[in-house]
Amino acid sequence: QKEVEQDPGPLSVPEGAIVSLNCTYSNSAFQYFMWYRQYSRKGPELLMYTYSSGNKEDGRFTAQVDKSSKYISLFIRDSQPSDSATYLCAKPAGGTSYGKLTFGQGTILTVHP
Amino acid sequence: NAGVTQTPKFRVLKTGQSMTLLCAQDMNHEYMYWYRQDPGMGLRLIHYSVGEGTTAKGEVPDGYNVSRLKKQNFLLGLESAAPSQTSVYFCASRPGLRVNEQFFGPGTRLTVL
């Protein structure tokens, strides 16, 4: 079982919709989680990170962790065409980390006008 | 400040050929990582380095070698390319363990025929 599982989608929504992106994880040893955004033919960029203590909000984006169900979510409010990208959840890798991250498969999101 | 750069951007190889991918960062980061990204698989760690002169295996190291002779450069080598190595390769760097973020390069698209 992968440490992080993510539904690859693709997900297509109209502009203005609320988007929910989700991941499940299997190792509870680490206490922070990250969301990276990757535009087409670009490298991933850190969008948000959150510690496993509730929600974190940044503009239209909210990251949420549910420790009891080992579920992490990213919500996008008032989605825009510019939000069209692949979204990757990540967490520190198990064992001796050395800063390694384990990524989910990525969810491809398209927001159409 | 260019951040993380990767050379080349695209390459087509024949089975059995060799090549080296170059990653360079000008941020004085200690940690560097090589990933490959395949459809539906997310980012998978190939090799990583925790400092100049050090390298270690990641999740999918077979068929690849790496070197970090200078702090700013991390080289990924394919000695005898195989079609299974067709992928997009990303390099990332991280200042140290106190900073959670990995900074990614733009990627190299490699096709092995």
Side-chain angles (χ1 to χ4, degrees):
Chain A
Q1 180 187 6
K2 283 178 66 71
E3 282 195 52
V4 182
E5 296 279 357
Q6 184 175 7
D7 183 347
L11 186 61
S12 180
V13 301
E15 183 175 355
I18 296 173
V19 176
S20 172
L21 304 169
N22 305 296
C23 292
T24 58
Y25 63 93
S26 60
N27 184 342
S28 302
F30 292 89
Q31 301 298 313
Y32 73 88
F33 303 89
M34 314 170 89
W35 284 97
Y36 278 79
R37 178 173 59 192
Q38 183 179 20
Y39 290 115
S40 180
R41 296 184 176 267
K42 301 289 187 182
E45 298 175 300
L46 181 65
L47 180 61
M48 297 180 68
Y49 73 87
T50 181
Y51 289 90
S52 57
S53 54
N55 297 355
K56 181 176 182 180
E57 191 172 317
D58 184 1
R60 295 184 295 109
F61 298 87
T62 300
Q64 187 176 79
V65 179
D66 182 339
K67 286 194 294 183
S68 61
S69 58
K70 296 184 181 178
Y71 213 73
I72 55 177
S73 302
L74 178 70
F75 298 97
I76 307 175
R77 292 184 300 281
D78 188 24
S79 56
Q80 302 295 311
S82 59
D83 295 327
S84 297
T86 297
Y87 290 80
L88 299 133
C89 57
K91 60 177 286 295
T96 304
S97 181
Y98 292 117
K100 294 182 291 182
L101 296 176
T102 296
F103 287 86
Q105 294 92 324
T107 300
I108 301 170
L109 171 68
T110 302
V111 181
H112 51 87
Chain B
N1 190 337
V4 180
T5 58
Q6 292 183 234
T7 309
K9 289 184 171 52
F10 305 92
R11 186 73 184 268
V12 178
L13 290 179
K14 294 181 180 179
T15 297
Q17 287 185 318
S18 64
M19 77 164 294
T20 300
L21 283 68
L22 170 64
C23 176
Q25 52 94 4
D26 60 2
M27 299 175 284
N28 201 36
H29 287 175
E30 289 294 330
Y31 293 71
M32 297 186 75
Y33 309 85
W34 274 109
Y35 294 90
R36 59 178 291 172
Q37 186 175 37
D38 303 290
M41 301 292 288
L43 287 161
R44 292 183 293 168
L45 183 65
I46 305 171
H47 285 280
Y48 64 100
S49 168
V50 300
E52 181 178 313
T54 75
T55 63
K57 294 180 180 180
E59 182 185 358
V60 288
D62 293 344
Y64 305 95
N65 56 75
V66 287
S67 65
R68 187 139 179 235
L69 299 180
K70 293 183 179 181
K71 186 177 184 179
Q72 64 267 34
N73 295 336
F74 194 27
L75 278 63
L76 178 71
L78 288 73
E79 289 188 349
S80 179
S84 61
Q85 293 177 304
T86 294
S87 188
V88 182
Y89 292 86
F90 288 100
C91 175
S93 70
R94 174 174 177 159
L97 293 182
R98 292 193 175 196
V99 175
N100 295 333
E101 182 175 1
Q102 289 186 14
F103 296 81
F104 283 82
T108 294
R109 291 184 172 273
L110 175 65
T111 301
V112 182
L113 302 175

